Amino acid sequence: MSPTKQPSPAKALRSIQHTQSHHWVGDGFPVRTLMAYNGLGQTISPFLLLDYAGPANFPPTDARRGVGEHPHRGFETVTIVYEGEVEHRDSAGGGGIIGPGDVQWMTAAAGLVHEEFHGPSLAQHGGPFEMVQLWVNLPAQDKMAPPRYQGITADRIPTVELPDGQGSLRVIAGEFQNAQGPAETFTPINMWDLRLMGGKQVSLELPEGYTTILVVLKGSVRVGESDPISEAEIGICDRAGTTLTLDCLQDTTALLLCGEPINEPIVGHGPFVMNTSAEIYQAVTDYQSGKMGALTLQ
């Protein structure tokens, strides 16, 4: 007789994070910061911060809406557009325009300066705007790697239909079943864009010991017997266990983040995240002396 297959241990919900506070980044991004390393530290490693911009509606304009030239060092920014359009340009030569379903994965690493504005079509015609920007930490050995830019269009992101009408899952990074995400990462990360159907139960298999975070943008889900995780809330799961079971209380749009923790000190100051205060001082000095480059005039 073959041995009976044992069920995978379930991941439990550790906490739910939310904020009522809104602020503007530049004049183009009305933001709620749903998680940040200065309060959660190693709990959310390798992730550092997540800003949810929108949903909002903008009227047409001839002006450029967004945030102008500013530096980063020591981590990556990941921008996912749900509605609207974002235009990026950086001092390392990266840049482009991303729209609904597209992803921009910018590695600041050793340092660059960049700008982010509404794309020209959104500015000209106005309309709905919704995006997420995630900061992903880099291990010490990669914090001074060369910058790079990955502009990932929606047609490059594989979609997996979940069984029994549960919904669908787009693989931005990592893998799900036999689908491989196009994003290149420095440490092991799964980033899945979920569209889940209300009234269904979904079970996802994840690596043991990894940080697992569910970002709910629309709808509501429950993990086990937990309180619901609802719109603009984040559920942080225990690292133990390998099966995340979601009861979908409504049709839900969510982002699942799962990554191997980076067990190193986190020292941040504004747009710089390093391992020591001395490295932060050096980053400020390097930026002020022009070592992170500058944007050419357009």
Side-chain angles (χ1 to χ4, degrees), residues 21-22 61 64 67 76 90 137 139 152 156-157 232 265 279 285 290:
S21 176
H22 291 69
T61 181
R64 297 191 79 199
V67 57
E76 305 179 285
D90 67 52
N137 202 9
I152 304 170
R156 295 179 52 207
I157 300 173
E279 291 171 336
T285 301

Side-chain angles (χ1 to χ4, degrees), residues 73-85:
R73 172 178 281 181
F75 62 99
E76 305 179 285
T77 67
V78 181
T79 303
I80 303 169
V81 176
Y82 291 89
E83 290 192 283
E85 193 179 57

Side-chain angles (χ1 to χ4, degrees), residues 97-263:
I97 297 172
I98 57 172
D102 299 340
V103 177
Q104 167 195 291
W105 198 298
M106 185 195 78
T107 303
L112 48 64
V113 298
H114 76 141
E115 64 181 20
E116 298 162 285
F117 287 95
H118 290 187
S121 179
L122 176 61
Q124 179 182 358
H125 302 289
F129 182 78
E130 183 181 8
M131 57 160 265
V132 164
Q133 186 170 95
L134 171 72
W135 289 13
V136 178
N137 202 9
L138 292 172
Q141 66 182 14
D142 296 314
K143 282 188 177 292
M144 296 300 288
R148 73 180 179 191
Y149 174 85
Q150 301 176 72
I152 304 170
T153 52
D155 59 357
R156 295 179 52 207
I157 300 173
T159 298
V160 178
E161 296 298 324
L162 300 174
D164 302 322
Q166 296 168 358
S168 62
L169 182 156
R170 294 198 314 149
V171 187
I172 297 169
E175 60 183 337
F176 180 79
Q177 296 178 357
N178 294 320
Q180 186 75 37
E184 298 179 14
T185 66
F186 283 80
T187 57
I189 289 173
N190 288 310
M191 185 178 297
W192 301 337
D193 181 21
L194 306 173
R195 302 292 191 280
L196 306 178
M197 299 301 294
K200 297 291 186 176
Q201 185 178 83
V202 179
S203 291
L204 303 170
E205 291 301 312
L206 299 163
E208 171 75 30
Y210 278 32
T211 297
T212 301
I213 298 169
L214 186 71
V215 184
V216 175
L217 304 179
K218 293 182 176 68
S220 183
V221 301
R222 180 179 281 123
V223 178
E225 300 299 317
S226 74
D227 291 337
I229 312 167
S230 299
E231 181 175 320
E233 293 186 336
I234 283 181
I236 301 175
C237 298
D238 288 336
R239 289 176 180 161
T242 57
T243 300
L244 179 66
T245 299
L246 306 174
D247 288 303
C248 303
L249 308 180
Q250 303 171 10
D251 289 356
T252 297
T253 299
L255 185 66
L256 189 134
L257 309 172
C258 180
E260 184 177 59
I262 300 172
N263 296 314

Side-chain angles (χ1 to χ4, degrees), residues 10-56:
K11 280 191 174 292
L13 187 68
R14 174 174 179 163
S15 66
I16 297 174
Q17 305 289 323
H18 67 275
T19 181
Q20 300 299 322
S21 176
H22 291 69
H23 65 279
W24 282 83
V25 177
D27 63 358
F29 306 110
V31 161
R32 285 170 282 182
T33 299
L34 301 187
M35 68 178 186
Y37 66 90
N38 55 7
L40 293 168
Q42 297 292 345
T43 301
I44 60 173
S45 177
F47 311 108
L48 292 167
L49 176 148
L50 188 135
D51 279 343
Y52 180 30

